[in-house]
Amino acid sequence: MKWMKNKIKRVLSVVFTLVCVGVFVYAAHGLISTFLDYQNNKQTMNDLQETFYQGGGVTEFADNDGDELKVRSGFDILLGENDELVGWITIDGTKIDYPILQAENNNDYLRRDFYKDYNILGSIFMDFRNDVTSLGRNTIVYGHRTKDQSMFEGLTYFEDKEFYEEHKTFTFDTLYESYEAEIFAVYNTTTDFNYIQTDFTGDENFELLLDEIDERALYETDVEVSADDHILTLSTCDYQLDKHKGRFVVHAKLTKMDPSSLHAAEK
C-alpha cells in the first residue's frame, strides 16, 4: 500500500500548491485593484482641480422658493458632470484640495468617486442633513484616510500643534459663498460622542456641544466660538481609541469672505 500513500501525498501536495496559488492570485488582484484605485483617484482629482480653478463663469438660477442663487465660477462646469457637487475644500500644507459632494444619504460616496464609479478611496462628502444653500450651525464633511496622504489623511497633521500654528485657517467654498475656516479644536474620539449633531433646540443646546468639544481638544487655541457662530466639522477614521468607531475630528469657525477675494478667482 506504499504506492497508495505516495499517491495521496502527491494529491495533497498538488491541492496545497493550488490553494497557495489561489491565495496569491487573490491577494495580488486585491493589491492591483487598490493600486489602480489610488492612481485613478489621483488623476481624477488633478483633472477636477484644473477645471475648478480655470473657472467657467457665474450661473444664475432661482431655487424652489423663487430666490435668486448664483453658482460661482469654477463650479458651473463641474455641476454639469455631477449635480451633487456642493462645495470645495482646500487646506494648505496638505493634499486636501477637493470637491465636496452630497447625496441623499451618507453611504453613496464612501466608495464612489466624483463620477460615481467604484473607488476604494471614495469622495469627500457633506452630511446629507446639511443644506448648502443655508448653512446650519454645524456643517459636517467626511473623508477617508489613505496611505498616500490624500483625501482626509492630511487632517491628522493637526495632531501636531506646531503644524496647527502654521496652518490655523483654510478655505471652505460652497456653490454660492466662500468662507474662511478658523480651526478651534482638534481631537480623537469615537462615534459615541455626537459631534455630528446638526439639529439644536436652541442656543443652550449648541453651547453644550461647543463646551464638550472644548473639553476634548488636544490643545488650546485662541479662537472664540459662541452660539452666534457657524462651525464646520471635518471627520475621518482613526484607530487610536477604537479600530471601528474611532474618529479624528477638526472643527473650524466659519466666516464669510468678501466676494472680491473668492477662492476660485485667486487661483
Side-chain angles (χ1 to χ4, degrees):
M1 298 298 289
K2 185 176 181 180
W3 64 271
M4 180 65 72
K5 292 181 179 179
N6 290 335
K7 184 177 182 180
I8 292 174
K9 288 181 178 179
R10 287 196 297 271
V11 171
L12 291 175
S13 178
V14 170
V15 171
F16 178 76
T17 300
L18 291 174
V19 170
C20 290
V21 170
V23 171
F24 174 80
V25 171
Y26 179 80
H29 176 269
L31 290 174
I32 292 172
S33 178
T34 298
F35 173 78
L36 291 175
D37 279 351
Y38 272 81
Q39 291 300 110
N40 290 336
N41 180 72
K42 182 178 180 180
Q43 184 60 55
T44 296
M45 290 305 180
N46 287 340
D47 293 343
L48 294 173
Q49 289 163 4
E50 183 177 353
T51 300
F52 178 66
Y53 289 118
Q54 285 181 348
V58 177
T59 302
E60 298 185 14
F61 69 98
D63 64 10
N64 294 332
D65 297 323
D67 296 327
E68 183 181 274
L69 296 174
K70 294 182 179 181
V71 174
R72 296 167 43 224
S73 176
F75 288 110
D76 54 333
I77 297 176
L78 294 179
L79 271 174
E81 300 179 21
N82 187 337
D83 61 6
E84 292 183 324
L85 174 69
V86 295
W88 196 280
I89 183 171
T90 305
I91 303 180
D92 291 340
T94 76
K95 290 186 177 181
I96 298 173
D97 188 17
Y98 303 128
I100 303 171
L101 304 171
Q102 184 182 42
E104 295 181 352
N105 56 69
N106 286 340
N107 297 315
D108 284 4
Y109 286 109
L110 284 173
R111 292 287 182 257
R112 291 184 182 179
D113 65 14
F114 183 86
Y115 298 103
K116 301 185 180 181
D117 296 323
Y118 178 85
N119 190 298
I120 194 172
L121 278 70
S123 297
I124 305 302
F125 63 95
M126 184 180 292
D127 194 293
F128 76 96
R129 297 169 298 172
N130 290 130
D131 182 0
V132 71
T133 63
S134 179
L135 298 184
R137 282 178 154 169
N138 189 13
T139 299
I140 304 104
V141 176
Y142 307 94
H144 287 303
R145 294 181 64 171
T146 60
K147 295 179 179 180
D148 66 349
Q149 307 301 307
S150 65
M151 307 310 281
F152 266 6
E153 177 68 30
L155 292 184
T156 62
Y157 298 175
F158 287 100
E159 283 186 291
D160 181 358
K161 189 174 182 181
E162 289 187 9
F163 182 85
Y164 160 75
E165 292 291 346
E166 297 177 358
H167 305 87
K168 292 184 177 182
T169 64
F170 61 91
T171 305
F172 173 65
D173 292 312
T174 72
L175 297 180
Y176 318 108
E177 302 286 352
S178 187
Y179 298 87
E180 179 185 64
E182 192 175 9
I183 297 172
F184 67 90
V186 174
Y187 56 89
N188 309 86
T189 187
T190 68
T191 53
D192 294 327
F193 171 40
N194 189 23
Y195 63 92
I196 60 171
Q197 180 180 355
T198 57
D199 293 324
F200 300 92
T201 56
D203 290 352
E204 184 177 352
N205 189 219
F206 183 52
E207 288 171 344
L208 287 175
L209 175 64
L210 295 178
D211 289 342
E212 186 157 6
I213 288 172
D214 183 64
E215 291 177 1
R216 293 171 180 266
L218 295 178
Y219 46 79
E220 293 185 2
T221 68
D222 57 2
V223 182
E224 295 184 3
V225 186
S226 71
D228 296 325
D229 293 312
H230 295 264
I231 68 172
L232 176 66
T233 297
L234 307 180
S235 174
T236 193
C237 292
D238 186 71
Y239 312 106
Q240 181 171 319
L241 300 180
D242 189 286
K243 66 179 182 179
H244 298 298
K245 299 192 299 180
R247 298 292 185 270
F248 187 79
V249 185
V250 173
H251 293 286
K253 181 172 74 171
L254 295 175
T255 302
K256 190 179 297 185
M257 295 173 65
D258 186 275
S260 63
S261 61
L262 290 180
H263 183 63
E266 293 178 337
K267 294 291 182 175

